[in-house]
């Protein structure tokens, strides 16, 4: 039985680079609120291969339930944590590994798990009718059906029988070469509580042998027989304990992600910034629009609300962003990338509203310090690696790419690349000062629809739909100085 509330999947390629370029650590820190377990869960889900629109909607519904009942999420998270602590406590008592110590550790672990499973069933019974999401409804139904009192009582009884307290009754037979085989642990005979002890049962064994004190070889032989007898039972008990621990660990990890979502929403709204649950449609829909879209990593570092931007790019495979330096272009690029990660993970996004199609991943190609000067080959190498994993419905964010060479060469390379990627279904958001690249794309926009945004020179950090123009921060500064 698995909770199945998140199902993060494998970490996407280039995840670390994407996280660094987009400033994701600030978002994860806000989600974690000092809890390392939540931070780990948040990072895994945000950077995982995104699910389809249906799975995103399922996560959003679970998140809405936890929004209505945050105490439910905290209780489930605490239950998972107590199970992990119980297993660690049992493991600390084992200093060396033998079948007997493995069995005793497993019994101790499972014994500690039983009241936690009973408490989980009580939580499920109390909340089954109070939640509306398919994820929590199905999970609670499974818990109440499989962890009924009859089952938990039988588990308690079985664990009591396994706790032999030194009494071990084993059957075996002689095999080839008079070697013992077919060991089977039996339930010990009940001891008499009266004045007279019962003798052996009719037809039962009548011979016995007691190993003399000091007979080390005899004790080693009996110890070996004991280990052989307990090996199968210890393995089965250890497997059972591992399965239950895996269930509780998955529950804790899944719920940790949703608690992180609530922490992030609280951190952003406390700064007066809006958040919303995005509308995520099928990948083929091509929808991509937003109102008040902003960079949450920047917002989390400031006390006042940051500038948001509107975006109308439905059906567009290319968004070209030009304009003045320090005008908000890179900030806008990060806002788009983080919105893509957050929407795909099923949590709130930093916007007043957002409608998007499901993405196959978010990837970045940002100018790095090592790309300066003659590092054009390094830029090409990183882009070549990216093209090996980009596919239809991927989102690629390029920030000042191919500017480590001259204008003409950089524009030509970028134009061929953008044309090839968009034709294969990749959505490209390209921030650039390569005027030749931007103007050629703008002139050809009738053949291939694209959105062109420009950061104005007034440094308002707002972007608007406009034709690209040759401008730079250096030129602006020169004009300002020349005209007084």
């Amino acid at each position: 039985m698995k909770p199945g509330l998140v199902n993060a999947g494998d970490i996407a390629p280039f995840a670390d680079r994407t996280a660094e370029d987009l400033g994701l650590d600030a978002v994860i820190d806000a989600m974690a609120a000092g809890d390392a377990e939540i931070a780990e869960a948040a990072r895994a889900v945000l950077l995982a291969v995104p699910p389809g629109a249906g799975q995103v909607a399922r996560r959003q519904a679970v998140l809405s339930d936890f929004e209505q009942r945050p105490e439910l999420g905290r209780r489930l998270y605490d239950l998972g944590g107590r199970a992990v602590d119980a297993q660690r406590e049992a493991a600390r008592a084992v200093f060396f590994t033998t079948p007997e110590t493995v069995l005793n550790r497993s019994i101790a672990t499972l014994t500690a798990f039983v009241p936690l499973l009973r408490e989980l069933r009580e939580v499920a019974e109390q909340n089954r009718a109070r939640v509306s999401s398919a994820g929590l409804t199905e999970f609670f139904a499974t818990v109440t059906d499989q962890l009924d009192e009859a089952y938990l009582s039988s588990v308690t009884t079985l664990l009591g029988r396994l706790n032999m307290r030194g009494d071990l009754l084993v059957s075996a037979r002689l095999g080839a070469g008079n070697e013992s085989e077919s060991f089977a642990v039996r339930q010990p005979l009940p001891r008499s509580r009266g004045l007279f002890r019962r003798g052996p049962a009719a037809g039962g064994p009548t011979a016995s042998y007691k190993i003399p004190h000091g007979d080390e070889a005899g004790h080693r032989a009996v110890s070996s027989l004991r280990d052989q007898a307990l090996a199968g039972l210890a393995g089965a008990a250890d497997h059972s304990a591992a399965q239950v621990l895996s269930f509780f660990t998955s529950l804790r990890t899944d719920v940790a992600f949703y608690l992180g979502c609530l922490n992030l929403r609280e951190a952003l709204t406390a700064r007066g910034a809006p958040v919303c649950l995005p509308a995520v449609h099928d990948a083929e829909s091509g929808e991509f629009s937003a109102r008040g879209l902003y960079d949450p990593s920047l917002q989390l570092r400031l006390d006042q609300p940051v500038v948001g931007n509107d975006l109308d790019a439905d059906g567009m495979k290319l968004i070209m962003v030009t304009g003045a330096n320090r005008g908000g272009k890179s900030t806008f690029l990060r806002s788009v990338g983080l919105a893509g990660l957050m929407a795909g993970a099923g949590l709130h996004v930093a916007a007043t509203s957002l409608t998007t199609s499901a993405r196959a991943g978010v990837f970045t190609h940002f100018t790095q310090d090592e790309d300066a000067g003659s590092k054009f080959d390094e830029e090409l190498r990183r882009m070549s690696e990216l093209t090996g994993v980009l596919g239809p419905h991927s989102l690629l964010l390029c920030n000042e790419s191919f500017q480590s060479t001259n204008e003409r060469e950089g524009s030509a390379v970028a134009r061929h690349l953008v044309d090839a990627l968009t034709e294969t279904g990749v959505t490209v958001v390209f921030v650039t000062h390569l005027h030749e690249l931007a103007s050629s794309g703008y002139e050809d926009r009738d053949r291939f629809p694209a959105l062109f945004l420009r950061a104005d020179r007034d440094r308002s950090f707002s972007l608007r739909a406009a034709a690209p123009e040759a401008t730079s921060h250096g030129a602006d500064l020169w004009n300002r100085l020349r005209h007084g």
Side-chain angles (χ1 to χ4, degrees):
M1 182 173 65
K2 292 287 185 182
L5 301 179
V6 176
N7 296 328
D10 297 328
I11 295 293
F14 307 99
D16 289 340
R17 174 59 70 185
T18 298
E20 181 179 346
D21 287 342
L22 298 181
L24 186 62
D25 283 349
V27 173
I28 292 175
D29 288 345
M31 295 180 72
D35 189 314
E37 186 82 19
I38 295 179
E40 183 178 351
R43 183 178 181 84
V45 177
L46 283 166
L47 294 175
V49 177
Q55 184 63 27
V56 170
R58 181 183 175 92
R59 290 183 186 177
Q60 289 180 345
V62 173
L63 176 57
S64 294
D65 273 338
F66 283 131
E67 281 186 285
Q68 296 297 318
R69 293 175 176 80
E71 73 284 351
L72 172 60
R74 288 191 289 268
R75 188 172 180 186
L76 291 173
Y77 184 66
D78 176 67
L79 263 173
R82 281 188 279 150
V84 173
D85 291 342
Q87 188 275 336
R88 290 173 180 167
E89 185 66 28
R92 276 197 289 266
V94 176
F95 300 101
F96 53 91
T97 302
T98 66
E100 185 169 7
T101 58
V102 169
L103 177 61
N104 290 336
R105 180 192 66 200
S106 302
I107 292 172
T109 302
L110 289 168
T111 300
F113 284 165
V114 170
L116 298 178
L117 290 171
R118 184 174 280 112
E119 184 177 345
L120 176 61
R121 188 197 67 213
E122 293 172 355
V123 172
E125 290 173 343
Q126 293 168 1
N127 292 277
R128 184 174 179 178
R130 300 177 182 175
V131 297
S132 58
S133 64
L136 284 176
T137 299
E138 293 167 6
F139 173 60
F140 287 154
T142 301
V143 168
T144 54
D145 291 344
Q146 295 190 11
L147 300 180
D148 58 19
E149 188 56 39
Y151 170 75
L152 294 177
S153 296
S154 68
V155 170
T156 302
T157 301
L158 179 59
L159 290 174
R161 291 174 179 173
L162 290 176
N163 197 352
M164 292 165 288
R165 295 180 177 84
D167 294 333
L168 181 63
L169 182 61
V170 179
S171 65
R173 66 182 180 85
L174 293 179
N178 285 335
E179 292 289 335
S180 302
E181 63 178 28
S182 301
F183 286 93
V185 178
R186 306 294 182 180
Q187 185 173 347
L189 295 174
R191 293 184 176 183
S192 172
R193 295 181 179 275
L195 296 175
F196 303 98
R197 296 188 179 275
R198 296 177 182 175
T206 57
S208 63
Y209 178 76
K210 184 175 182 180
I211 300 174
H213 179 71
D215 184 355
E216 295 183 4
H219 282 288
R220 284 196 299 269
V222 170
S223 178
S224 176
L225 291 172
R226 185 181 182 89
D227 286 345
Q228 292 179 67
L230 291 175
L233 185 59
D238 185 54
H239 178 72
S240 297
Q243 289 291 100
V244 180
L245 177 63
S246 176
F247 164 76
F248 274 117
T249 302
S250 296
L251 175 63
R252 180 173 171 81
T253 300
D254 287 359
V255 176
F257 166 73
Y258 291 108
L259 292 180
C261 295
L262 300 183
N263 290 339
L264 177 61
R265 184 197 64 171
E266 182 178 351
L268 290 173
T269 56
R271 290 168 170 78
V275 297
C276 70
L277 279 178
V280 180
H281 299 279
D282 291 337
E284 299 291 344
S285 70
E287 296 190 53
F288 196 19
S289 62
R291 293 291 177 269
L293 181 67
Y294 63 93
D295 177 4
S297 65
L298 175 61
Q299 179 63 82
L300 290 166
R301 297 193 295 270
L302 302 175
D303 292 329
Q304 69 273 15
V306 300
V307 175
N309 282 284
D310 296 340
L311 179 67
D312 294 290
D314 290 348
M316 306 289 186
K317 289 298 181 185
L318 173 63
I319 302 173
M320 189 74 72
V321 185
T322 61
N325 280 326
R326 303 180 66 83
K329 301 188 303 299
S330 296
T331 299
F332 170 76
L333 195 62
R334 286 192 295 271
S335 71
V336 171
L338 290 170
L341 291 178
M342 294 160 72
L347 68 156
H348 301 91
V349 297
T352 302
S353 66
L354 175 72
T355 302
T356 182
S357 56
R359 302 293 179 186
V362 178
F363 303 88
T364 58
H365 187 271
F366 282 29
T367 299
Q368 307 297 324
D369 292 339
E370 63 267 23
D371 291 334
S374 61
K375 296 299 184 178
F376 183 56
D377 289 344
E378 177 64 18
E379 282 197 271
L380 291 174
R381 182 192 63 78
R382 288 194 290 113
M383 183 59 76
S384 177
E385 293 174 350
L386 278 169
T387 56
V389 297
L390 291 169
H393 316 303
S394 296
L395 177 63
L396 174 63
L397 310 174
C398 297
N399 192 21
E400 311 287 7
S401 298
F402 308 121
Q403 295 196 173
S404 57
T405 185
N406 61 72
E407 167 96 9
R408 176 165 296 181
E409 183 179 24
S411 296
V413 170
R415 180 61 192 270
H416 288 305
L417 176 74
V418 168
D419 286 349
L421 289 176
T422 53
E423 285 175 5
T424 60
V426 178
T427 298
V428 180
V429 186
F430 208 117
V431 168
T432 186
H433 282 297
L434 297 173
H435 182 64
E436 187 174 329
L437 165 66
S439 60
S440 67
Y442 187 78
E443 292 169 0
D444 205 22
R445 66 190 183 281
D446 292 336
R447 181 183 67 85
F448 197 89
L451 175 64
F452 288 82
L453 300 175
R454 192 173 72 199
D456 287 331
R457 304 183 186 193
D458 60 3
R459 306 295 188 265
S460 65
F461 307 112
S462 293
L463 276 63
R464 61 186 180 89
E469 63 178 9
T471 184
S472 69
H473 181 58
D476 291 347
L477 182 60
W478 165 250
N479 288 331
R480 199 184 319 163
L481 292 173
R482 186 177 65 176
H483 293 96

